[in-house]
Amino acid sequence: MEKFTVLTGVAAPLPMINVDTDMIIPKQFLKTIKRTGLGKHLFDEMRYTPDGQEIPDFVLNKPAYRKSSIMVAGENFGCGSSREHAPWALADFGIRCIIAPSFADIFYNNCFKNGILPIKLPKEQVDLLLDDASRGSNAVITVDLEKQTITGPDGGTISFELDPFRKHCLLNGLDDIGLTLQQSAHIDGYEGKQRAGQPWMWG
């Protein structure tokens, strides 16, 4: 998994509450088990007309936000069904950080497993960042995970809280498999003892 240290990018404002996973990646795109290729379908029904034409007013179709790496959104982001395709689609588009007052629990957990930093902030602070994000290509925000700070276009800084273990995993690019591989020496040692004591299990 790609490490998350410091991210500087344009922040896309999505001032909507209860953005569910079916809005993030509609059900017709859940057939794949690949993590790549879903970015083009992110917010598909909000980005495109039924015949596939872009809807100009949707934020990610506006020139200033086409390469956004940060999203600022409303309460309860990622609610609905527990599809991991939602963070896959966000990450494939290029979104590495989502800032909102609250998140659905399963979506929140899935973000960390896919290299996305979800940041919870009080609504008043999110509203300030939404205002910053409305500046288009000038809406450049820096997220420093080590310092746990968000710096806005005007240089103002907001601090955020994060579980130390989740922070460690993101800083070091560790998903569940990566965490397991850190214990490979112990696993090999255990298997070696088992091979010697119970060889019939390894025939």
Side-chain angles (χ1 to χ4, degrees):
M1 188 172 74
E2 184 179 353
K3 295 180 180 181
F4 191 114
T5 53
V6 177
L7 174 66
T8 298
V10 172
L14 191 66
M16 298 174 60
I17 64 171
N18 300 322
V19 174
D20 63 36
T21 53
D22 192 54
M23 294 167 68
I24 297 170
I25 184 72
K27 59 186 179 299
Q28 62 266 33
F29 303 111
L30 304 185
K31 299 174 183 177
T32 182
I33 57 172
K34 295 181 180 179
R35 299 187 182 198
T36 57
L38 290 171
K40 61 187 176 183
H41 302 302
L42 178 68
F43 295 112
D44 189 85
E45 293 177 0
M46 300 168 70
R47 282 171 73 191
Y48 307 107
T49 63
D51 62 354
Q53 301 299 310
E54 287 190 356
I55 298 174
D57 288 341
F58 184 67
V59 61
L60 296 182
N61 289 337
K62 296 180 179 180
Y65 301 108
R66 286 182 178 272
K67 295 186 178 180
S68 295
S69 55
I70 300 166
M71 178 163 281
V72 186
E75 295 97 328
N76 201 29
F77 191 90
C79 58
S81 65
S82 57
R83 61 192 70 172
E84 195 167 3
H85 292 68
W88 289 359
L90 286 159
D92 192 57
F93 179 86
I95 302 292
R96 297 290 317 279
C97 177
I98 305 166
I99 303 168
S102 60
F103 295 87
D105 288 341
I106 294 176
F107 174 84
Y108 184 78
N109 293 331
N110 282 339
C111 281
F112 290 103
K113 296 179 180 181
N114 290 280
I116 297 174
L117 172 60
I119 297 176
K120 298 177 184 178
L121 290 176
K123 185 178 184 302
E124 295 76 17
Q125 292 181 325
V126 172
D127 287 342
L128 289 174
L129 291 171
L130 280 169
D131 183 62
D132 285 341
S134 68
R135 304 182 190 186
S137 58
N138 293 321
V140 176
I141 290 175
T142 296
V143 178
D144 188 319
L145 178 54
E146 182 63 53
K147 296 179 180 178
Q148 293 181 212
T149 59
I150 302 166
T151 303
D154 295 332
T157 300
I158 296 172
S159 298
F160 61 90
E161 298 296 322
L162 190 65
D163 174 77
F165 176 70
R166 296 187 186 278
K167 177 179 178 178
H168 167 79
C169 289
L170 281 177
L171 284 171
N172 293 279
L174 297 171
D175 57 10
D176 290 344
I177 295 174
L179 286 167
T180 301
L181 290 175
Q182 285 192 317
Q183 307 301 321
S184 58
H186 296 290
I187 295 169
D188 291 343
Y190 171 80
E191 290 182 348
K193 291 178 181 178
Q194 194 176 57
R195 283 179 187 271
Q198 298 173 306
W200 61 87
M201 293 184 64
W202 300 84

